[in-house]
């Protein structure tokens, strides 16, 4: 079992839908949780950064962390075709600067 | 300086050849990371530098791989005697570690170098 599990998709939704992307993890030492967006043949771009449990909102994006369930989510409201990309979750422990990435979920938002 | 840059963006080589990639981090960033990403997978950590010191290496970094960061600025990643299994996207990221307890070490990625070994 990998430390970080993420469904690769693809997830296909109509424009305007609310998108829910999720990751589960097994390492209880993880404290820092990140979501990256990666367009085809580009490097990952940091979207959200959360420390410990709770919610964080930034525009159309909301990140949730539930450490008791070892489960993190990224919600995208009013999804747009430009949101079509691969979304990678990543997480690290307090003693390490090296994040462990999920394999990414491919999202397709169709007009 | 608008971000992390990598050169070349694409490299095609024959098995057994040596290749070298360059990464220029964001200028004030003291940390530099190398990752490898294969199709359908997330980035896998290879190594990282704090200034010019190479502080950690993954077991993925075989003895055919070497990385340097002279003077704590740009970095190079060299792969000797390339194998077909080395075909991947090689990503560089940089961050600023302030030494404060609130430091988040947010990593910013470059566009990557796509290596194809024939």
């Amino acid at each position: 079992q990998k430390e970080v599990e993420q469904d690769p998709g693809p997830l296909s939704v109509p424009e305007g839908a609310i998108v829910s992307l999720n990751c589960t993890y097994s390492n209880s030492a993880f404290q820092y949780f990140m979501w990256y967006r990666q367009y085809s043949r580009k490097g990952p771009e940091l979207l959200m950064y959360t420390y410990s449990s709770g919610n964080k909102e930034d525009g159309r994006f909301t990140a949730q962390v539930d450490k008791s369930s070892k489960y993190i989510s990224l919600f995208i409201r009013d999804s747009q075709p430009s949101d079509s990309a691969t979304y990678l979750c990543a997480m690290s422990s307090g003693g390490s600067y090296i994040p462990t990435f999920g394999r990414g979920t491919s999202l397709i938002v169709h007009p | 300086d608008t971000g992390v840059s990598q050169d070349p963006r694409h490299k095609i080589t024959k098995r057994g050849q040596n290749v070298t990639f360059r990464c220029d981090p964001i200028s004030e960033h003291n940390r530099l990371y190398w990752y490898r990403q294969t199709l359908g997978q997330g980035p896998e950590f290879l190594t990282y530098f704090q200034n010019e010191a190479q502080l950690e290496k993954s077991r993925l970094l075989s003895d055919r791989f070497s990385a340097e960061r002279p003077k704590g600025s740009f970095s190079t990643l060299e792969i000797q005697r390339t194998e077909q299994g080395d075909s991947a996207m090689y990503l560089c990221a940089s961050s600023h570690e302030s030494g404060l307890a609130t430091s988040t070490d947010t990593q910013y990625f470059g566009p990557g170098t796509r290596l194809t070994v024939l």
Side-chain angles (χ1 to χ4, degrees), chain A residues 39-60:
Chain A
Y39 292 112
S40 181
R41 299 184 179 274
K42 304 285 186 183
E45 169 195 10
L46 182 66
L47 283 177
M48 301 285 284
Y49 188 108
T50 310
Y51 171 69
S52 194
S53 285
N55 293 0
K56 185 174 182 179
E57 188 172 325
D58 185 0
R60 297 185 296 111

Side-chain angles (χ1 to χ4, degrees), chain B:
Chain B
D1 189 349
T2 56
V4 179
S5 61
Q6 292 187 246
D7 183 70
R9 295 291 308 277
H10 305 275
K11 179 70 176 179
I12 299 174
T13 191
K14 291 183 178 179
R15 189 177 53 188
Q17 298 295 305
N18 299 344
V19 294
T20 300
F21 310 140
R22 177 181 170 122
C23 171
D24 287 88
I26 294 171
S27 58
E28 66 269 22
H29 284 185
N30 52 9
R31 286 209 172 134
L32 187 148
Y33 304 77
W34 285 99
Y35 293 86
R36 182 178 71 184
Q37 186 177 27
T38 54
L39 196 63
Q41 301 298 320
E44 295 174 294
F45 167 74
L46 292 177
T47 188
Y48 96 93
F49 294 82
Q50 175 137 346
N51 300 313
E52 67 276 6
Q54 188 172 16
L55 295 188
E56 191 168 337
K57 290 193 277 190
S58 160
R59 58 180 171 77
L60 293 175
L61 209 70
S62 75
D63 56 6
R64 297 185 297 104
F65 288 68
S66 62
E68 294 182 343
R69 193 183 182 197
K71 303 178 183 177
S73 55
F74 72 92
S75 175
T76 57
L77 177 68
E78 181 183 17
I79 308 174
Q80 295 182 326
R81 305 181 304 281
T82 52
E83 301 173 356
Q84 288 185 325
D86 296 331
S87 295
M89 173 82 92
Y90 290 84
L91 293 163
C92 175
S94 70
S95 68
H96 178 67
E97 204 284 320
S98 65
L100 299 175
T102 54
S103 173
T104 58
D105 196 46
T106 302
Q107 296 185 24
Y108 296 86
F109 282 83
T113 294
R114 182 168 296 279
L115 173 66
T116 301
V117 182
L118 301 176

Side-chain angles (χ1 to χ4, degrees), chain A residues 5-9 21-23 35-36 38 85-89 101-107, chain B residues 37 40-43:
Chain A
E5 297 281 359
Q6 187 174 12
D7 188 330
L21 303 164
N22 312 293
C23 288
W35 285 96
Y36 285 83
Q38 186 173 25
T86 295
Y87 290 79
L88 297 154
C89 64
F101 283 84
R103 62 184 300 183
T105 298
S106 175
L107 172 66
Chain B
Q37 186 177 27
Q41 301 298 320

